[in-house]
Amino acid sequence: MKPKIYISDLGKHVGEEVTLKGWLFNKRSSGKVKFLILRDGSGYLQCVVFKGNVSEEVFNSCEELTQESSFEVTGKVKEEPRAVGGFELDAVDVKIISVCSEYPITPKEHGIEFLIDNRHLWLRSKKQHAILKIRHRIIKAIRDFFDERGFTLFDPPIITPNACEGTSTLFEFDYFDLGKAYLTQSGQLYAEAGAMAFGKVYTFGPTFRAEKSKTRRHLTEFWMVEPEMAFYDLDDDMDLAEEFLEYIVQTVLTNMKDELATLERDTSKLEKVLRPFPRISYDDAVKILHENNIEFAWGNDFGATDETTISNQFDRPVMVHRYPSEIKAFYMKRDPLNEKVALAVDVLAPEGYGEIIGGSQREDNLDFLIQRIQEHNLPQSFFEWYLDLRRFGSVPHAGFGLGLERTVSWICGIDHLREAIPFPRMIYRNTP
Ligand code: 4AD
Ligand code: MG
């Protein structure tokens, strides 16, 4: 079998005759020559079709090639620094596979609703392609980071019998004869069982929140990575979070230069994402708001503009710790030095991207945890297995969750989460 050759491999084939397959991105012609820009998913390539180099039939058939028509082209690979990608193909043959009739997305401007309606096609455009390539690289960086540090990948269930992150955003459905079941909001509770078995684990998968808000930062289906570590306290958790974020950002900067350039991302802002990150308490964050003449009462949660004001004080992600326990989840441990606050941390991204990580040290005391479950009106019977983790060899432990789409949006510099996932799900959209 002839090996398949892609545009991204052309460096290894200079001077050779190769056959490539793909779609027409664009074309120009001037008399005796046609320039076909081929797109094959791995890159873009200018194919030069000289009238004298191909049969008349082939030369004329190039007229039929419209935007996004699929075709096969054979020719010799030349180095050409002025062309996109640095190579050019001197075509000797062109075979049309399928002529595309009136592709809906033309090079002119389209409205965002039209583009999302055509998400299945919009994915082919340069900017969307660059974003999803960066998403892929971030996912690999996340896996590499944990795999290289002794973590075990631990897959939690998606169908769950109870809430993890509060009951207001649950997707509910009937589960045979067993009553209500819910789509998972977070794999954390299961990750805690994993940490007691493997020491250090991470979950990585889709999570669901019936978010009733239409903000640019909320999806109803999003991907979250959640490390969970036995014998970690809040400070250890923050150390890991900052090392992790530095690793992701620096890996993308090193490996995804072309895509960041396509997105016209100001990379100088990302270059500053180096440890140590500032660590401030919730109390300090409230002071920042007051210094900026923002009305804010202690005990409330920060809104999007509050988060922006806080993060604008810093040139790298800021870790805000020790939130009022009232506004945080039932499983978070209270600070032994101040019962009013939980040993929680949120990491706020720079440039107004808001919360990208939420984490905490977990309540490891059986009696306190039962008390919290009761205070939150959660059905204790469903949590008995979780309470067993405190009955049978309880240890201090901590973890956090990073939202993948928020991280992709921040690193790509895009302003809405809907472009950071192939097919976004939001309160007002579940198609295509
Ligand atoms: O802060 P959250 O709710 O934390 C948890 O779920 C914990 N169980 C994590 C843990 O400690 N293991 O969510 C974590 C992150 C947020 O910081 C945000 O980045 C992202 O998940 N996130 C969302 N992303 C997109 N759309 C939504 N509706 C999101 N809700 C949370
Ligand atoms: Mg949170």
Side-chain angles (χ1 to χ4, degrees), residues 7 10 25 37-40 42-46 84-87 124-127 129:
I7 293 170
L10 288 184
F25 181 68
I37 309 293
L38 174 78
R39 165 185 88 69
D40 77 347
S42 81
Y44 298 84
L45 175 69
Q46 171 156 288
V84 275
F87 301 100
R124 303 181 191 187
S125 76
K126 260 193 174 163
K127 187 178 162 204
H129 187 271

PDB file of all heavy atoms in Angstrom, residues 7 10 25 37-40 42-46 84-87 124-127 129:
ATOM      1  N   ILE A   7      -0.034  17.237   4.104  1.00  0.00           N
ATOM      2  CA  ILE A   7       0.702  18.491   3.904  1.00  0.00           C
ATOM      3  C   ILE A   7       1.739  18.695   5.012  1.00  0.00           C
ATOM      4  O   ILE A   7       2.844  19.141   4.743  1.00  0.00           O
ATOM      5  CB  ILE A   7      -0.290  19.683   3.819  1.00  0.00           C
ATOM      6  CG1 ILE A   7      -1.132  19.534   2.539  1.00  0.00           C
ATOM      7  CG2 ILE A   7       0.437  21.012   3.834  1.00  0.00           C
ATOM      8  CD1 ILE A   7      -2.318  20.497   2.437  1.00  0.00           C
ATOM      9  N   LEU A  10       5.296  17.335   4.282  1.00  0.00           N
ATOM     10  CA  LEU A  10       5.962  17.635   3.010  1.00  0.00           C
ATOM     11  C   LEU A  10       7.463  17.888   3.143  1.00  0.00           C
ATOM     12  O   LEU A  10       8.210  17.652   2.184  1.00  0.00           O
ATOM     13  CB  LEU A  10       5.276  18.812   2.300  1.00  0.00           C
ATOM     14  CG  LEU A  10       3.900  18.453   1.728  1.00  0.00           C
ATOM     15  CD1 LEU A  10       3.313  19.624   0.963  1.00  0.00           C
ATOM     16  CD2 LEU A  10       3.984  17.223   0.815  1.00  0.00           C
ATOM     17  N   PHE A  25      -9.485  25.235  -0.610  1.00  0.00           N
ATOM     18  CA  PHE A  25      -9.662  26.359   0.318  1.00  0.00           C
ATOM     19  C   PHE A  25      -9.913  27.638  -0.482  1.00  0.00           C
ATOM     20  O   PHE A  25     -10.738  28.456  -0.121  1.00  0.00           O
ATOM     21  CB  PHE A  25      -8.410  26.484   1.187  1.00  0.00           C
ATOM     22  CG  PHE A  25      -8.492  27.587   2.192  1.00  0.00           C
ATOM     23  CD1 PHE A  25      -9.369  27.512   3.259  1.00  0.00           C
ATOM     24  CD2 PHE A  25      -7.681  28.716   2.073  1.00  0.00           C
ATOM     25  CE1 PHE A  25      -9.465  28.536   4.180  1.00  0.00           C
ATOM     26  CE2 PHE A  25      -7.772  29.743   2.996  1.00  0.00           C
ATOM     27  CZ  PHE A  25      -8.660  29.653   4.052  1.00  0.00           C
ATOM     28  N   ILE A  37      -5.404  26.343  -3.710  1.00  0.00           N
ATOM     29  CA  ILE A  37      -4.947  26.167  -2.322  1.00  0.00           C
ATOM     30  C   ILE A  37      -5.696  24.952  -1.757  1.00  0.00           C
ATOM     31  O   ILE A  37      -6.916  24.975  -1.596  1.00  0.00           O
ATOM     32  CB  ILE A  37      -5.213  27.405  -1.437  1.00  0.00           C
ATOM     33  CG1 ILE A  37      -4.689  28.686  -2.085  1.00  0.00           C
ATOM     34  CG2 ILE A  37      -4.609  27.203  -0.050  1.00  0.00           C
ATOM     35  CD1 ILE A  37      -3.195  28.790  -2.212  1.00  0.00           C
ATOM     36  N   LEU A  38      -4.911  23.911  -1.480  1.00  0.00           N
ATOM     37  CA  LEU A  38      -5.455  22.668  -0.949  1.00  0.00           C
ATOM     38  C   LEU A  38      -5.398  22.716   0.574  1.00  0.00           C
ATOM     39  O   LEU A  38      -4.410  23.173   1.156  1.00  0.00           O
ATOM     40  CB  LEU A  38      -4.604  21.495  -1.451  1.00  0.00           C
ATOM     41  CG  LEU A  38      -4.930  20.110  -0.884  1.00  0.00           C
ATOM     42  CD1 LEU A  38      -6.163  19.541  -1.559  1.00  0.00           C
ATOM     43  CD2 LEU A  38      -3.749  19.152  -1.074  1.00  0.00           C
ATOM     44  N   ARG A  39      -6.460  22.216   1.194  1.00  0.00           N
ATOM     45  CA  ARG A  39      -6.530  22.118   2.660  1.00  0.00           C
ATOM     46  C   ARG A  39      -6.770  20.652   2.961  1.00  0.00           C
ATOM     47  O   ARG A  39      -7.676  20.048   2.373  1.00  0.00           O
ATOM     48  CB  ARG A  39      -7.735  22.981   3.090  1.00  0.00           C
ATOM     49  CG  ARG A  39      -8.248  22.803   4.466  1.00  0.00           C
ATOM     50  CD  ARG A  39      -9.506  23.626   4.681  1.00  0.00           C
ATOM     51  NE  ARG A  39     -10.708  22.882   4.306  1.00  0.00           N
ATOM     52  CZ  ARG A  39     -11.175  21.827   4.971  1.00  0.00           C
ATOM     53  NH1 ARG A  39     -10.567  21.393   6.055  1.00  0.00           N
ATOM     54  NH2 ARG A  39     -12.253  21.185   4.550  1.00  0.00           N
ATOM     55  N   ASP A  40      -5.941  20.042   3.790  1.00  0.00           N
ATOM     56  CA  ASP A  40      -6.174  18.614   4.089  1.00  0.00           C
ATOM     57  C   ASP A  40      -6.339  18.349   5.584  1.00  0.00           C
ATOM     58  O   ASP A  40      -6.292  17.201   6.027  1.00  0.00           O
ATOM     59  CB  ASP A  40      -5.066  17.738   3.474  1.00  0.00           C
ATOM     60  CG  ASP A  40      -3.765  17.790   4.270  1.00  0.00           C
ATOM     61  OD1 ASP A  40      -3.609  18.680   5.145  1.00  0.00           O
ATOM     62  OD2 ASP A  40      -2.891  16.941   4.009  1.00  0.00           O
ATOM     63  N   SER A  42      -4.271  19.017   7.847  1.00  0.00           N
ATOM     64  CA  SER A  42      -2.959  19.123   8.503  1.00  0.00           C
ATOM     65  C   SER A  42      -2.264  20.419   8.110  1.00  0.00           C
ATOM     66  O   SER A  42      -1.251  20.772   8.700  1.00  0.00           O
ATOM     67  CB  SER A  42      -2.085  17.923   8.139  1.00  0.00           C
ATOM     68  OG  SER A  42      -1.482  18.109   6.877  1.00  0.00           O
ATOM     69  N   GLY A  43      -2.779  21.107   7.069  1.00  0.00           N
ATOM     70  CA  GLY A  43      -2.150  22.348   6.642  1.00  0.00           C
ATOM     71  C   GLY A  43      -2.741  22.821   5.335  1.00  0.00           C
ATOM     72  O   GLY A  43      -3.769  22.297   4.865  1.00  0.00           O
ATOM     73  N   TYR A  44      -2.092  23.836   4.762  1.00  0.00           N
ATOM     74  CA  TYR A  44      -2.549  24.437   3.503  1.00  0.00           C
ATOM     75  C   TYR A  44      -1.384  24.367   2.520  1.00  0.00           C
ATOM     76  O   TYR A  44      -0.222  24.517   2.907  1.00  0.00           O
ATOM     77  CB  TYR A  44      -2.952  25.887   3.725  1.00  0.00           C
ATOM     78  CG  TYR A  44      -4.103  26.020   4.703  1.00  0.00           C
ATOM     79  CD1 TYR A  44      -3.864  26.036   6.082  1.00  0.00           C
ATOM     80  CD2 TYR A  44      -5.405  26.093   4.254  1.00  0.00           C
ATOM     81  CE1 TYR A  44      -4.912  26.122   6.982  1.00  0.00           C
ATOM     82  CE2 TYR A  44      -6.469  26.186   5.142  1.00  0.00           C
ATOM     83  CZ  TYR A  44      -6.214  26.202   6.508  1.00  0.00           C
ATOM     84  OH  TYR A  44      -7.248  26.285   7.403  1.00  0.00           O
ATOM     85  N   LEU A  45      -1.699  24.142   1.232  1.00  0.00           N
ATOM     86  CA  LEU A  45      -0.638  24.009   0.240  1.00  0.00           C
ATOM     87  C   LEU A  45      -1.078  24.640  -1.071  1.00  0.00           C
ATOM     88  O   LEU A  45      -2.173  24.365  -1.576  1.00  0.00           O
ATOM     89  CB  LEU A  45      -0.333  22.523   0.000  1.00  0.00           C
ATOM     90  CG  LEU A  45       0.672  22.217  -1.107  1.00  0.00           C
ATOM     91  CD1 LEU A  45       2.078  22.674  -0.725  1.00  0.00           C
ATOM     92  CD2 LEU A  45       0.674  20.721  -1.429  1.00  0.00           C
ATOM     93  N   GLN A  46      -0.182  25.476  -1.615  1.00  0.00           N
ATOM     94  CA  GLN A  46      -0.453  26.058  -2.936  1.00  0.00           C
ATOM     95  C   GLN A  46      -0.048  25.060  -4.013  1.00  0.00           C
ATOM     96  O   GLN A  46       1.117  24.652  -4.083  1.00  0.00           O
ATOM     97  CB  GLN A  46       0.303  27.363  -3.081  1.00  0.00           C
ATOM     98  CG  GLN A  46       0.250  27.930  -4.483  1.00  0.00           C
ATOM     99  CD  GLN A  46       0.478  29.426  -4.488  1.00  0.00           C
ATOM    100  OE1 GLN A  46      -0.367  30.227  -4.075  1.00  0.00           O
ATOM    101  NE2 GLN A  46       1.650  29.822  -4.939  1.00  0.00           N
ATOM    102  N   VAL A  84       2.265  29.746   1.572  1.00  0.00           N
ATOM    103  CA  VAL A  84       1.769  29.298   2.883  1.00  0.00           C
ATOM    104  C   VAL A  84       2.400  27.951   3.234  1.00  0.00           C
ATOM    105  O   VAL A  84       2.456  27.055   2.390  1.00  0.00           O
ATOM    106  CB  VAL A  84       0.223  29.090   2.920  1.00  0.00           C
ATOM    107  CG1 VAL A  84      -0.509  30.365   3.215  1.00  0.00           C
ATOM    108  CG2 VAL A  84      -0.292  28.409   1.662  1.00  0.00           C
ATOM    109  N   GLY A  85       2.900  27.800   4.428  1.00  0.00           N
ATOM    110  CA  GLY A  85       3.470  26.527   4.854  1.00  0.00           C
ATOM    111  C   GLY A  85       4.893  26.293   4.360  1.00  0.00           C
ATOM    112  O   GLY A  85       5.573  25.379   4.821  1.00  0.00           O
ATOM    113  N   GLY A  86       5.368  27.107   3.424  1.00  0.00           N
ATOM    114  CA  GLY A  86       6.769  27.003   2.986  1.00  0.00           C
ATOM    115  C   GLY A  86       7.017  26.035   1.831  1.00  0.00           C
ATOM    116  O   GLY A  86       8.165  25.832   1.432  1.00  0.00           O
ATOM    117  N   PHE A  87       5.953  25.417   1.292  1.00  0.00           N
ATOM    118  CA  PHE A  87       6.115  24.498   0.154  1.00  0.00           C
ATOM    119  C   PHE A  87       5.097  24.831  -0.932  1.00  0.00           C
ATOM    120  O   PHE A  87       4.116  25.531  -0.697  1.00  0.00           O
ATOM    121  CB  PHE A  87       5.920  23.040   0.598  1.00  0.00           C
ATOM    122  CG  PHE A  87       6.885  22.615   1.663  1.00  0.00           C
ATOM    123  CD1 PHE A  87       6.501  22.585   2.998  1.00  0.00           C
ATOM    124  CD2 PHE A  87       8.196  22.281   1.336  1.00  0.00           C
ATOM    125  CE1 PHE A  87       7.401  22.233   3.989  1.00  0.00           C
ATOM    126  CE2 PHE A  87       9.100  21.918   2.325  1.00  0.00           C
ATOM    127  CZ  PHE A  87       8.699  21.897   3.655  1.00  0.00           C
ATOM    128  N   ARG A 124     -14.217  23.944   9.752  1.00  0.00           N
ATOM    129  CA  ARG A 124     -13.169  23.891   8.720  1.00  0.00           C
ATOM    130  C   ARG A 124     -12.427  25.211   8.564  1.00  0.00           C
ATOM    131  O   ARG A 124     -11.416  25.259   7.874  1.00  0.00           O
ATOM    132  CB  ARG A 124     -13.810  23.545   7.366  1.00  0.00           C
ATOM    133  CG  ARG A 124     -14.581  22.256   7.383  1.00  0.00           C
ATOM    134  CD  ARG A 124     -15.158  21.998   5.997  1.00  0.00           C
ATOM    135  NE  ARG A 124     -16.122  20.907   6.034  1.00  0.00           N
ATOM    136  CZ  ARG A 124     -16.689  20.379   4.963  1.00  0.00           C
ATOM    137  NH1 ARG A 124     -16.385  20.833   3.753  1.00  0.00           N
ATOM    138  NH2 ARG A 124     -17.551  19.390   5.078  1.00  0.00           N
ATOM    139  N   SER A 125     -12.975  26.280   9.152  1.00  0.00           N
ATOM    140  CA  SER A 125     -12.342  27.579   8.918  1.00  0.00           C
ATOM    141  C   SER A 125     -11.068  27.704   9.753  1.00  0.00           C
ATOM    142  O   SER A 125     -10.884  27.034  10.764  1.00  0.00           O
ATOM    143  CB  SER A 125     -13.320  28.714   9.211  1.00  0.00           C
ATOM    144  OG  SER A 125     -13.429  28.861  10.607  1.00  0.00           O
ATOM    145  N   LYS A 126     -10.189  28.599   9.286  1.00  0.00           N
ATOM    146  CA  LYS A 126      -8.833  28.673   9.856  1.00  0.00           C
ATOM    147  C   LYS A 126      -8.809  28.933  11.356  1.00  0.00           C
ATOM    148  O   LYS A 126      -8.066  28.298  12.096  1.00  0.00           O
ATOM    149  CB  LYS A 126      -8.051  29.791   9.154  1.00  0.00           C
ATOM    150  CG  LYS A 126      -7.125  29.257   8.085  1.00  0.00           C
ATOM    151  CD  LYS A 126      -6.130  30.300   7.628  1.00  0.00           C
ATOM    152  CE  LYS A 126      -5.161  29.634   6.661  1.00  0.00           C
ATOM    153  NZ  LYS A 126      -4.415  30.585   5.853  1.00  0.00           N
ATOM    154  N   LYS A 127      -9.640  29.873  11.794  1.00  0.00           N
ATOM    155  CA  LYS A 127      -9.603  30.260  13.203  1.00  0.00           C
ATOM    156  C   LYS A 127     -10.142  29.111  14.077  1.00  0.00           C
ATOM    157  O   LYS A 127      -9.544  28.756  15.095  1.00  0.00           O
ATOM    158  CB  LYS A 127     -10.443  31.529  13.390  1.00  0.00           C
ATOM    159  CG  LYS A 127     -10.339  32.097  14.771  1.00  0.00           C
ATOM    160  CD  LYS A 127     -11.141  33.369  14.934  1.00  0.00           C
ATOM    161  CE  LYS A 127     -11.346  33.624  16.417  1.00  0.00           C
ATOM    162  NZ  LYS A 127     -12.512  34.440  16.722  1.00  0.00           N
ATOM    163  N   HIS A 129     -10.238  25.998  13.374  1.00  0.00           N
ATOM    164  CA  HIS A 129      -9.259  24.914  13.275  1.00  0.00           C
ATOM    165  C   HIS A 129      -8.110  25.145  14.258  1.00  0.00           C
ATOM    166  O   HIS A 129      -7.701  24.243  14.993  1.00  0.00           O
ATOM    167  CB  HIS A 129      -8.774  24.856  11.827  1.00  0.00           C
ATOM    168  CG  HIS A 129      -7.896  23.706  11.506  1.00  0.00           C
ATOM    169  ND1 HIS A 129      -6.525  23.764  11.654  1.00  0.00           N
ATOM    170  CD2 HIS A 129      -8.171  22.451  11.055  1.00  0.00           C
ATOM    171  CE1 HIS A 129      -6.013  22.598  11.293  1.00  0.00           C
ATOM    172  NE2 HIS A 129      -6.975  21.782  10.930  1.00  0.00           N
TER     173      HIS A 129
END
